[in-house]
Amino acid sequence: GFWGQTALHLASSHNYGTLLPVLLRRGALVDLRDKYGRTAAMMAAAKGNADVLETLLAAGADPSLRDKAHRDCWSHARIGKHTKALEVLARHAAAEVEHETTDDETSTEVEFEESDDGGWSASVASEADSDRCDLERVSDITKDDFIRDFVSLNKPVIISGLVEDWPAWDVWTRAGLSKKYGNMTCNVGGIPYAHTYGRDSRDMKLGEFLRYMDSPESDVPRPLYIFEGRIMQKAKGFEDDFEAPAALDFQAELVQFMVGPARSGAPPHFHGDAWNALIYGRKRWFLFPPNKAFFSRDHPMHWFSDRYPQLPEDSKAIECVQHPGDTVYVPRSWGHAVINVKASVALAIEFDPEV
């Protein structure tokens, strides 16, 4: 055709599901591309033709291929807000991971538990990695010292050694989260609270999201992220996984749990006083004083690669890399963005220092 489309492209686009098996039996190439680099699976995902997409995936279509606009099947389905197509892709990704791993669930959990990194992916977002840290680092701090030296001065700090005795180290492993909270429904998006900012988001079981993190579908420039602000209401027993350190024992206003693959994170934003404890992974922080704070709805990797380099030098961020066991204090009204350099699991608490 004029667009370089085959009969398989047209059948997929127009939802002619009964025609697909005939074309495939006659040797139609399932991943052949049209003039714009689109495969038949991309056409089905873009149109929301979930049954056709499922047939193509079963026939060996590769959902990770990208067209000339750098969009894969996931991107096409998300742009069209085609929930059923996204569910098909998620099931396919989960099946691929399960096929590559052992059928013995107990053996799988033991393998994850024995890993020093909690069984999380070792993949690194090398383009966002850094060893820079402009923040003061302290340890063995008291609550009075914390208030005097940082809260009262509205000064950020990174603190080590506050969360080493949390049960979360055992529970928030890859296997532990799946076992304890796998059936919990979370809102997933490219940025935290995506629906609030007019961005695409959807509900997903935590176990399903963890399988997504294991799959090639998460190894993309702008992956999805869980930033759950109703964790205390949703996850029974979650309060047993952690305890506010004595130095940070204030009235909590919001408890937030976050988990995501490398390259996920949060774009620039600001709010009240908060601390963020990292259990597994590595995070790169960008902090802006209140007079330079701003909001962005961009995916953090888009902001980092396209927006951040354009900022004037005197508006660039104070940066720091957070490692497991580190707690970052972000004072009230300080702007901040975060990129997960590695798959990360963390807890953030917004608090009122006056109470």
Side-chain angles (χ1 to χ4, degrees):
F2 180 77
W3 304 111
Q5 293 177 351
T6 65
L8 194 65
H9 282 93
L10 296 173
S12 301
S13 178
H14 294 287
N15 207 23
Y16 296 149
T18 56
L19 184 57
L20 255 65
V22 177
L23 295 172
L24 292 169
R25 280 197 303 269
R26 292 184 176 181
L29 300 177
V30 72
D31 281 330
L32 196 64
R33 298 170 182 265
D34 69 4
K35 176 180 178 180
Y36 298 103
R38 297 173 300 192
T39 65
M42 292 178 198
M43 304 288 282
K47 295 289 188 175
N49 299 334
D51 291 341
V52 167
L53 178 60
E54 194 158 25
T55 299
L56 292 168
L57 293 174
D62 185 351
S64 67
L65 296 178
R66 294 178 175 274
D67 61 19
K68 292 183 179 180
H70 304 290
R71 293 172 179 160
D72 59 8
C73 288
W74 287 82
S75 300
H76 283 288
R78 281 196 292 268
I79 290 170
K81 299 181 180 180
H82 298 307
T83 304
K84 290 184 177 180
L86 288 167
E87 290 173 352
V88 167
L89 289 165
R91 285 198 301 271
H92 175 76
E96 288 292 303
V97 172
E98 289 172 5
H99 178 71
E100 293 170 2
T101 57
T102 175
D103 291 331
D104 185 346
E105 186 66 24
T106 302
S107 171
T108 302
E109 289 188 5
V110 170
E111 179 182 346
F112 283 131
E113 293 288 356
E114 290 180 345
S115 172
D116 290 339
D117 61 5
W120 298 102
S121 170
S123 176
V124 176
S126 56
E127 69 274 32
D129 203 1
S130 171
D131 58 3
R132 172 181 168 185
C133 193
D134 305 323
L135 291 182
E136 181 178 351
R137 178 182 285 273
V138 301
S139 59
D140 300 323
I141 191 172
T142 67
K143 186 173 183 177
D144 288 342
D145 291 340
F146 176 66
I147 293 173
R148 182 191 66 237
D149 296 339
F150 301 104
V151 176
S152 66
L153 299 178
N154 207 39
K155 178 182 177 183
V157 65
I158 188 165
I159 312 171
S160 58
L162 292 184
V163 300
E164 291 175 350
D165 59 351
W166 277 11
W169 292 96
D170 295 322
V171 181
W172 297 357
T173 62
R174 166 62 178 80
L177 279 180
S178 180
K179 182 176 181 179
K180 188 173 182 180
Y181 303 119
N183 287 324
M184 177 179 67
T185 299
C186 302
N187 192 255
V188 177
I191 63 174
Y193 307 114
H195 59 286
T196 303
Y197 299 102
R199 297 302 195 193
D200 289 342
S201 68
R202 61 189 176 108
D203 289 338
M204 183 185 290
K205 298 283 189 183
L206 178 59
E208 182 184 351
F209 183 77
L210 296 180
R211 290 191 291 272
Y212 158 78
M213 286 181 62
D214 291 337
S215 76
E217 307 301 339
S218 70
D219 189 19
V220 295
R222 300 173 192 176
L224 301 175
Y225 193 32
I226 284 180
F227 200 97
E228 182 54 66
R230 299 188 66 247
I231 188 69
M232 300 298 283
Q233 293 78 26
K234 290 184 176 183
K236 183 179 180 181
F238 189 80
E239 67 276 6
D240 298 329
D241 297 350
F242 71 98
E243 182 178 7
L248 305 176
D249 191 11
F250 299 92
Q251 178 64 50
E253 295 185 330
L254 181 62
V255 179
Q256 300 165 110
F257 172 73
M258 55 217 71
V259 56
R263 298 181 183 84
S264 62
H269 63 287
F270 55 90
H271 43 66
D273 293 271
W275 54 267
N276 181 303
L278 181 63
I279 302 302
Y280 290 108
R282 186 156 75 241
K283 291 176 177 282
R284 182 174 175 182
W285 286 76
F286 305 82
L287 295 102
F288 301 88
N291 65 332
K292 296 179 180 178
F294 59 96
F295 269 91
S296 172
R297 300 191 308 156
D298 292 328
H299 189 282
M301 286 302 296
H302 178 224
W303 171 81
F304 172 70
S305 61
D306 291 6
R307 311 290 191 200
Y308 188 50
Q310 297 178 14
L311 290 179
E313 283 303 314
D314 61 358
S315 296
K316 289 291 178 68
I318 296 170
E319 293 190 27
C320 194
V321 173
Q322 182 185 23
H323 297 276
D326 287 343
T327 302
V328 173
Y329 165 58
V330 182
R332 180 180 300 274
S333 299
W334 271 71
H336 53 288
V338 184
I339 292 175
N340 293 320
V341 179
K342 294 181 67 176
S344 297
V345 189
L347 180 81
I349 293 186
E350 296 181 29
F351 66 92
D352 185 349
E354 304 297 329
V355 179

